[in-house]
Amino acid sequence: MPSPRLPLLFLFSASLHVNAFADELKVLAAGAIAPVVRSVAADFEKRSGVRVTVDNATAGVMDKRIRGGESFDVAVVPDGVLDKLGRERYVDAKSGRAIARVGIGVAVKEGTPAPAIATVPQFRKALLDAPSVALIDPRAGGSSGVYLERLFYRLGIAAQMRAKQVLVPGGLVAQKLVDGSAALALHQESEILQVKGTRLVGPLPAAIQNYTVYAGAASAQAAAPAQARAFLSLFAQEAARGEMRAHGMTPQ
């Protein structure tokens, strides 16, 4: 019976010395894409026998860690962050690929009334009516938090929001609904769907929606670049694309 390593790695290993392969891959995954990356990591481990560790933090934190010299094999971060890392040769730009897109959603605690948010005026009113609103702290570098801070200025409600916002340094913002810290939560739709006891009311109105496209690339210093590229190739397979859809993302 053929080795289970061959279906995934043969194309990358045929012309490489055995020492080009490592026993472990380290993947840095920013924000909302982490559940999908963990699913792909589990699939990769089964196919290859290579252990995969997945670290998750905001895009800003991951960018700082990479620029600070942290060792890693694959980075999956917002495409704007990845583009800059590629231009500055922290990642191998030629290995890069778009993975999934996700928009920002609005959530309430399960069992509580849902505000109308279909139009920009309705969304603005929902924010002003809510006694407290949870979102990622923009200073932590989370893409949704950075965008929402600018959006509040555009809507002319920045001062009102500063008085009521519950800033979360990272993780699942909608948990603040469950523990009673906030009445409304704004976060990537995929992140909201992970939190039991909450209800995704819907996405931001189309006119002000902001999509984050997550993309992946191998480290420019990856110990086993062929394995890193093999890992990235799994995001194009239907199992991974199904995981993206299940987590409220659109495969790219």
Side-chain angles (χ1 to χ4, degrees), residues 52-119:
V52 182
T53 61
V54 179
D55 283 357
N56 178 231
T58 66
V61 168
M62 287 306 184
D63 188 48
K64 288 179 182 177
R65 286 170 59 176
I66 290 170
R67 292 175 183 279
E70 180 167 338
S71 176
F72 69 99
D73 297 290
V74 175
V76 183
V77 296
D79 58 354
V81 174
L82 196 73
D83 287 346
K84 291 179 181 178
L85 292 172
R87 288 196 297 271
E88 296 171 32
R89 300 184 180 180
Y90 289 98
V91 300
D92 174 12
K94 292 182 180 179
S95 70
R97 64 169 62 219
I99 292 173
R101 184 186 78 168
V102 63
I104 297 172
V106 180
V108 295
K109 187 175 182 178
E110 199 169 65
T112 62
I117 60 166
T119 67

Side-chain angles (χ1 to χ4, degrees), residues 16-66:
L16 295 175
H17 189 275
V18 67
N19 288 338
F21 292 95
D23 294 327
E24 181 175 345
L25 284 182
K26 181 178 179 180
V27 182
L28 302 182
I33 196 68
V36 176
V37 175
R38 292 191 182 103
S39 176
V40 169
D43 189 15
F44 185 86
E45 287 185 340
K46 289 178 183 177
R47 293 173 181 240
S48 68
V50 176
R51 183 170 178 266
V52 182
T53 61
V54 179
D55 283 357
N56 178 231
T58 66
V61 168
M62 287 306 184
D63 188 48
K64 288 179 182 177
R65 286 170 59 176
I66 290 170

Side-chain angles (χ1 to χ4, degrees), residues 3-233:
S3 165
R5 297 174 68 94
L6 293 178
L8 178 63
L9 298 179
F10 178 75
L11 292 177
F12 301 97
S13 63
S15 62
L16 295 175
H17 189 275
V18 67
N19 288 338
F21 292 95
D23 294 327
E24 181 175 345
L25 284 182
K26 181 178 179 180
V27 182
L28 302 182
I33 196 68
V36 176
V37 175
R38 292 191 182 103
S39 176
V40 169
D43 189 15
F44 185 86
E45 287 185 340
K46 289 178 183 177
R47 293 173 181 240
S48 68
V50 176
R51 183 170 178 266
V52 182
T53 61
V54 179
D55 283 357
N56 178 231
T58 66
V61 168
M62 287 306 184
D63 188 48
K64 288 179 182 177
R65 286 170 59 176
I66 290 170
R67 292 175 183 279
E70 180 167 338
S71 176
F72 69 99
D73 297 290
V74 175
V76 183
V77 296
D79 58 354
V81 174
L82 196 73
D83 287 346
K84 291 179 181 178
L85 292 172
R87 288 196 297 271
E88 296 171 32
R89 300 184 180 180
Y90 289 98
V91 300
D92 174 12
K94 292 182 180 179
S95 70
R97 64 169 62 219
I99 292 173
R101 184 186 78 168
V102 63
I104 297 172
V106 180
V108 295
K109 187 175 182 178
E110 199 169 65
T112 62
I117 60 166
T119 67
V120 175
Q122 287 176 337
F123 173 69
R124 184 179 186 276
K125 183 177 186 301
L127 293 178
L128 293 174
D129 289 347
S132 51
V133 179
L135 62 146
I136 285 286
D137 188 342
R139 293 170 297 182
S143 56
S144 64
V146 172
Y147 173 74
L148 289 166
E149 183 178 48
R150 296 195 301 265
L151 178 62
F152 297 156
Y153 278 100
R154 284 173 53 195
L155 297 177
I157 59 173
Q160 295 96 315
M161 295 307 299
R162 277 195 296 271
K164 67 171 70 181
Q165 61 192 12
V166 178
L167 298 178
V168 182
L172 300 173
V173 168
Q175 288 178 337
K176 296 299 180 181
L177 301 173
V178 179
D179 68 19
S181 301
L184 207 66
L186 308 175
H187 204 190
Q188 309 286 20
E189 291 181 79
S190 55
E191 300 274 64
I192 291 170
L193 292 172
Q194 294 183 59
V195 183
K196 294 182 179 179
T198 66
R199 174 186 173 189
L200 175 62
V201 179
L204 266 59
I208 57 171
Q209 178 60 277
N210 181 71
Y211 292 101
T212 299
V213 176
Y214 288 94
S219 168
Q221 305 299 323
Q227 279 183 228
R229 292 194 299 272
F231 179 86
L232 287 164
S233 74

